[in-house]
Amino acid sequence: MPRGFHSHRKNPDEPWTWEQVLDAAKKINDPANGVFGIDPAQGFGSAGGTAYFKYPIVWQFGGEIMSPDGKTSKGYLDSAQTKKAIQFFSDLYNKDQVSAMEYPPDPFPNGKLGITIDGSWSLANLKEKFPDFKLGVDYDIAPLPKESAQAVANGSWALGISSKSQHSDEAWKFINFVTGHDGQKMYCEMTKDIPSRYSAAKDFPELNEYPKNVFVVQNQKFGRPRPITPIFPQMSDAVNKMFEDVTISKRNIDAAVSDAITTIDQAYADLEKQQKK
């Protein structure tokens, strides 16, 4: 986040609105000198990664991606709220021009980007690679912006047991341990990830104070999983393409959204056909 963030903005319960963020981004923006206001969702890289950063914008505007049962996007992706979110996102690039399609390497610590939206994992990376770019001096951390609601994406690596496993009992014992309090504590001491159990998070002093508490509290109160659906890869690709079509190709929102819904619904229909065979 930009220099000079007010201290109370570090409170996970008091985020800026997207309008306040846009206002700040405009003040920082200086494209003539290669400086941009904000990267709202980690650019346009791999579909899974960058779609992950785009879901919260939809949720923050009160929109949805899919039906709760993960079968369709009709009535969700084409809602007025979802379209408002996509329009706002596209405007950052095209109308307000505070975001760039491409940035030089590491634009945030190198002073070419005022506001970046990233995960807790980026803190260790910044500390290691840019020791002169100091938290609390050169940059601060604030909760994700809100529009009609607060929302953050959660979800990391997952553990599963194959239906063909020859050792399902042992696998279950292992997963039960790793996801329990002691296992989470041991795992997160090694990985520096945020535990999936609140009880384990309480045992890490650094997770209960600024800046890590911003990530922990947001996840506890406003965390949402990505859409739970058997056609997750197809849905993720379709959502990413929709954002790209509207933002990069300046395509009509209604048309882009309609195509995404058709792609997602067709993928689900294809899956059902395969399962009936």
Side-chain angles (χ1 to χ4, degrees):
M1 287 286 177
R3 289 171 179 78
F5 240 72
H6 302 300
S7 59
H8 74 279
R9 288 295 168 219
K10 297 173 181 178
N11 180 347
D13 291 309
E14 292 185 18
W16 272 11
T17 64
W18 269 109
E19 278 73 20
Q20 287 173 300
V21 171
L22 176 57
D23 184 53
K26 285 177 177 174
K27 288 172 180 166
I28 297 159
N29 210 42
D30 185 7
N33 289 308
V35 176
F36 287 89
I38 183 170
D39 179 359
Q42 292 296 304
F44 295 96
S46 67
T50 57
Y52 176 80
F53 280 94
K54 293 180 180 77
Y55 302 132
I57 296 172
V58 171
W59 298 329
Q60 286 152 9
F61 276 79
E64 295 289 347
I65 311 292
M66 290 192 83
S67 58
D69 61 11
K71 290 182 178 182
T72 182
S73 283
K74 190 156 187 59
Y76 300 88
L77 209 54
D78 51 357
S79 72
Q81 295 91 331
T82 302
K83 287 179 182 176
K84 189 181 174 191
I86 300 164
Q87 184 68 61
F88 183 88
F89 181 89
S90 173
D91 284 349
L92 292 175
Y93 292 84
N94 296 312
K95 181 179 139 220
D96 306 307
Q97 298 184 352
V98 292
S99 303
M101 298 296 175
E102 288 181 43
Y103 299 96
D106 301 303
F108 184 60
N110 287 325
K112 297 295 183 186
L113 181 62
I115 304 169
T116 188
I117 289 180
D118 211 339
S120 56
W121 56 83
S122 61
L123 293 179
N125 183 47
L126 288 171
K127 197 172 180 180
E128 183 191 337
K129 291 185 182 169
F130 301 94
D132 297 331
F133 186 63
K134 292 189 168 30
L135 178 64
V137 179
D138 300 302
Y139 74 103
D140 264 336
I141 290 164
L144 285 187
K146 70 170 180 180
E147 191 57 32
S148 61
Q150 279 185 262
V152 302
N154 63 18
S156 180
W157 306 109
L159 298 164
I161 303 171
S162 166
S163 59
K164 297 183 173 69
S165 171
Q166 303 295 305
H167 304 282
S168 54
D169 287 348
E170 293 85 349
W172 164 244
K173 282 176 185 164
F174 172 73
I175 290 176
N176 201 30
F177 169 73
V178 173
T179 56
H181 173 275
D182 294 356
Q184 277 293 290
K185 200 170 173 192
M186 185 189 294
Y187 177 80
C188 293
E189 276 167 357
M190 292 188 278
T191 64
K192 302 292 184 261
D193 283 342
I194 290 172
S196 56
R197 276 191 182 268
Y198 301 162
S199 59
K202 283 179 186 160
D203 288 348
F204 290 89
E206 67 171 60
L207 294 181
N208 296 283
E209 57 195 35
Y210 179 83
K212 292 274 183 80
N213 70 311
V214 174
F215 298 100
V216 175
V217 173
Q218 280 191 113
N219 248 318
Q220 287 183 358
K221 289 188 175 180
F222 313 112
R224 291 187 52 167
R226 287 163 276 189
I228 299 162
T229 174
I231 51 157
F232 184 84
Q234 298 96 316
M235 179 278 300
S236 192
D237 279 338
V239 168
N240 219 44
K241 185 175 187 305
M242 175 187 71
F243 271 96
E244 287 183 1
D245 282 355
V246 174
T247 308
I248 300 172
S249 307
K250 300 183 177 64
R251 193 172 176 215
N252 173 278
I253 283 188
D254 291 345
V257 169
S258 178
D259 275 5
I261 291 171
T262 301
T263 301
I264 291 165
D265 288 1
Q266 187 59 54
Y268 195 86
D270 290 345
L271 178 76
E272 284 195 312
K273 270 187 212 159
Q274 287 169 2
Q275 287 174 340
K276 282 172 184 169
K277 282 180 182 174

